Amino acid sequence: LTSHTSGICCSRKAPNNTLISCYKLLKIKELIGGFYQSAGLNLINAIARSGDYERLSDIPFGSAHRNYLDHYRIDGDSARPTVLFFYGGNWRSGNKADYRFVADTLACQGFNVVVPDYRLYPSVRFPEILQDAQLAYQWTLENVPENQPLFIMGHSAGAQLGSLLTLNQSLLSQSYNCDQRLSGFVGLAG
């Protein structure tokens, strides 16, 4: 059996030192990829404008260690729409601080934004991750004025979380008054 990963050929019949070399190359590729991803997020967050909004950081929405969110609010119009944004990361990585550029962009377009963290695999399994998303949604419902339209938006794994909250009636029924408050869903690469 042969597998090809980024031009590297590894075979189960290969000598042990070949497999070790293959493993080392794959680990190096993973480290370099992680470095570029991190550098990219740092760069885009550094050049994101700090718009005319207030950022409330590390607000607890549950009792778990990663149950904190950032709330970006624009003063003024009480009917301004709010976006609850769930980031991606294969349920294994990510941090709300990495997505300040998303909140900044949406705030500059006139939206209030909520960006929660959620617990990650392998510390927890998917039901607990989904429970964190439900708790963030409930916090948003409780803390955003009822006259503000509410949208859920997510990227990748976050898009799956958002779509489940939006479309699965059994999840919606666990949050009060949610079917009347939700105005829409935007999924990116999910």
Side-chain angles (χ1 to χ4, degrees):
L1 179 66
T2 302
S3 83
H4 297 277
T5 306
S6 300
I8 300 169
C9 180
C10 298
S11 171
R12 288 192 181 169
K13 294 180 182 178
N16 222 7
N17 60 351
T18 304
L19 291 176
I20 292 170
S21 295
C22 181
Y23 175 78
K24 287 179 181 178
L25 285 173
L26 291 173
K27 278 301 193 186
I28 290 170
K29 178 184 177 267
E30 183 180 319
L31 288 171
I32 291 171
F35 170 77
Y36 281 116
Q37 180 181 5
S38 178
L41 284 172
N42 288 336
L43 177 63
I44 198 164
N45 278 318
I47 62 174
R49 301 181 283 180
S50 291
D52 191 22
Y53 54 81
E54 175 185 22
R55 177 182 170 204
L56 305 171
S57 298
D58 297 323
I59 301 168
F61 66 86
S63 59
H65 69 282
R66 287 182 51 96
N67 286 166
Y68 294 93
L69 57 82
D70 291 348
H71 190 189
Y72 299 77
R73 296 186 317 184
I74 303 169
D75 287 334
D77 186 4
S78 65
R80 182 179 311 284
T82 296
V83 173
L84 172 60
F85 178 78
F86 293 102
Y87 56 80
N90 200 27
W91 304 283
R92 293 174 181 255
S93 65
N95 186 305
K96 60 186 172 54
D98 293 341
Y99 294 88
R100 185 181 68 80
F101 73 95
V102 173
D104 183 81
T105 301
L106 291 168
C108 288
Q109 297 299 315
F111 295 91
N112 291 320
V113 184
V114 175
V115 183
D117 269 336
Y118 50 87
R119 291 174 287 173
L120 302 171
Y121 179 86
S123 296
V124 296
R125 300 296 187 251
F126 189 74
E128 289 85 10
I129 295 170
L130 186 56
Q131 180 183 39
D132 289 353
Q134 287 175 284
L135 289 171
Y137 184 46
Q138 183 174 341
W139 182 94
T140 305
L141 289 171
E142 292 171 355
N143 290 279
V144 169
E146 287 191 30
N147 64 330
Q148 285 186 354
L150 177 61
F151 296 88
I152 294 179
M153 181 179 191
H155 171 255
S156 192
Q160 184 186 22
L161 292 172
S163 65
L164 285 170
L165 287 177
T166 303
L167 301 172
N168 187 327
Q169 292 298 316
S170 68
L171 297 175
L172 287 176
S173 65
Q174 294 177 21
S175 296
Y176 75 96
N177 199 19
C178 57
D179 55 341
Q180 299 162 4
R181 297 280 308 275
L182 188 59
S183 297
F185 168 74
V186 178
L188 306 169

